[in-house]
Amino acid sequence: MTRGRTALGVLAAGAAAGAASAAWGSLVERRRFGLRWETVPVLPEGSRDVTVLHLSDIHMAPWQADKQQWLRDLSLVEPDFIVNTGDNLGHPTANAAVEYALEPFRGVPGAFAYGSNDFYAPSPRNPLRYFSGPSRMGHAAEPVGLDVDRQTAFFESLGWLDVNDHAHAIELRGSRFELFGTSDAHRDWDRLDLLPTNVDEMRSDVPWSEDEDGPAAVALGITHAPYRRVLDAFVTQGADVVFAGHTHGGQVAVPGVGALVTNSDLPRRFASGLHKWEHRNHWSWLEVSAGIGTSIYAPVRFACRPEAVVVTLTARTV
């Protein structure tokens, strides 16, 4: 009888702990927006610092007023450049909410690469399926389309550059930058075959490409989903820093263990944070954001707060 009562007590305690964890993750932690600060020494010696604000996986729904206000308040960071790595829309009528949230960044230069949730609305999923490998678009029904054209027009009106399988050259605070990116590798939309052509053409067009006395440009790779093929290609192309999102930092993590999944072929230890990514005896800095939002059908985070990332690009040390 005592053993039975003990077992029932353990089960009851476990159920209570599970319920408390679920309540914390769905009601509290997913709305505990925070900033992570990183410093990356990639600029030429003597350069002024460049502050980059990395936004990813906003997954905006129209009713998420707290998220919208928090994003607006990020303008207080006074970034020099915005990197947006996609999955901005979380509902078919969310465009106006995204525009309201990001309007304070008008006139701040930036670049954006899209995820699938900039094109298609989220749908209900069994979260246990993520443990069997990266998710895929369902074929049971045609996914609800999102107004990506409106979003693109808005981003470009802010002064942001489209790096979905494109490359650009810019100058920030006296430093030269080359930007190149891909479309969402999670949906096999990335066109890695275009990267060498785009980067070569970009370098031939910029006015400093023949300035042999000037410092080398800093290369930034930008993508939504950090699949290994994309990261390897970026390292091959000479990226100094790679920005990515998509993973949500695992969204649910175990303290002391970390992320359980990345929803890609990225190893779990790279699920979020600043790392070095190595390929064929070369490496790039890899910045993976844990993201700001979640799908409206899986509104929970545990041991993985939503985040934006402030990356200070600073001069290399000799």
Side-chain angles (χ1 to χ4, degrees):
M1 191 70 174
T2 301
R3 290 182 179 177
R5 288 177 179 175
T6 301
L8 288 174
V10 170
L11 289 174
S21 298
W24 170 265
S26 62
L27 300 176
V28 180
E29 186 162 354
R30 72 178 177 89
R31 301 171 68 176
R32 294 183 67 225
F33 307 110
L35 277 176
R36 175 162 55 86
W37 300 78
E38 303 286 1
T39 300
V40 183
V42 292
L43 301 184
E45 184 179 358
S47 300
R48 292 182 290 173
D49 289 353
V50 174
T51 301
V52 178
L53 176 62
H54 182 195
L55 306 175
S56 193
D57 299 274
I58 295 173
H59 291 284
M60 185 68 77
W63 56 83
Q64 294 171 334
D66 56 342
K67 185 192 297 185
Q68 295 164 37
Q69 187 58 53
W70 181 76
L71 283 164
R72 290 177 65 86
D73 290 344
L74 290 179
S75 61
L76 298 174
V77 171
E78 297 185 343
D80 301 306
F81 193 71
I82 309 290
V83 170
N84 182 306
T85 48
D87 273 8
N88 296 276
L89 300 170
H91 189 275
T93 63
N95 284 86
V98 170
E99 292 164 7
Y100 174 75
L102 300 181
E103 179 62 31
F105 299 105
R106 182 170 297 279
V108 180
F112 61 93
Y114 281 151
S116 62
N117 282 148
D118 295 295
F119 294 88
Y120 299 108
S123 58
R125 295 180 184 275
N126 178 356
L128 296 178
R129 291 179 58 188
Y130 289 101
F131 290 97
S132 64
S135 62
R136 289 295 169 188
M137 191 81 75
H139 299 287
E142 185 69 19
V144 176
L146 301 174
D147 196 345
V148 67
D149 291 337
R150 173 175 169 174
Q151 179 171 268
T152 298
F154 172 69
F155 284 174
E156 291 178 341
S157 78
L158 295 179
W160 298 0
L161 300 169
D162 183 346
V163 291
N164 290 282
D165 303 314
H166 288 87
H168 300 275
I170 62 171
E171 186 171 324
L172 297 168
R173 292 177 59 80
S175 292
R176 302 165 175 178
F177 289 86
E178 298 170 347
L179 315 173
F180 50 90
T182 72
S183 299
D184 189 1
H186 187 60
R187 300 301 179 202
D188 298 322
W189 294 342
D190 53 306
R191 290 291 307 277
L192 297 177
D193 58 305
L194 298 180
L195 278 181
T197 301
N198 275 331
V199 174
D200 289 344
E201 290 178 353
M202 174 193 64
R203 288 176 175 163
S204 67
D205 290 340
V206 296
W208 63 72
S209 60
E210 297 180 0
D211 181 6
E212 297 181 358
D213 297 326
V218 176
L220 304 183
I222 301 171
T223 192
H224 174 66
Y227 277 76
R228 288 182 287 188
R229 66 179 184 273
V230 174
L231 303 181
D232 291 348
F234 281 175
V235 171
T236 299
Q237 288 299 324
D240 294 289
V241 189
V242 177
F243 292 87
H246 175 70
T247 66
H248 294 194
Q251 193 164 319
V252 173
V254 175
V257 176
L260 301 179
V261 296
T262 64
N263 199 21
S264 69
D265 65 358
L266 187 71
R268 291 185 295 110
R269 67 182 182 276
F270 296 100
S272 64
L274 181 67
H275 308 274
K276 290 183 178 180
W277 184 263
E278 299 183 24
H279 177 62
R280 294 183 178 176
N281 298 319
H282 297 280
W283 64 272
S284 300
W285 290 103
L286 171 61
E287 165 49 43
V288 181
S289 172
I292 295 167
T294 68
S295 168
I296 58 175
Y297 297 106
V300 62
R301 281 180 178 263
F302 189 81
C304 182
R305 289 180 62 181
E307 67 174 10
V309 189
V310 179
V311 180
T312 301
L313 305 181
T314 193
R316 294 185 177 95
T317 56
V318 179

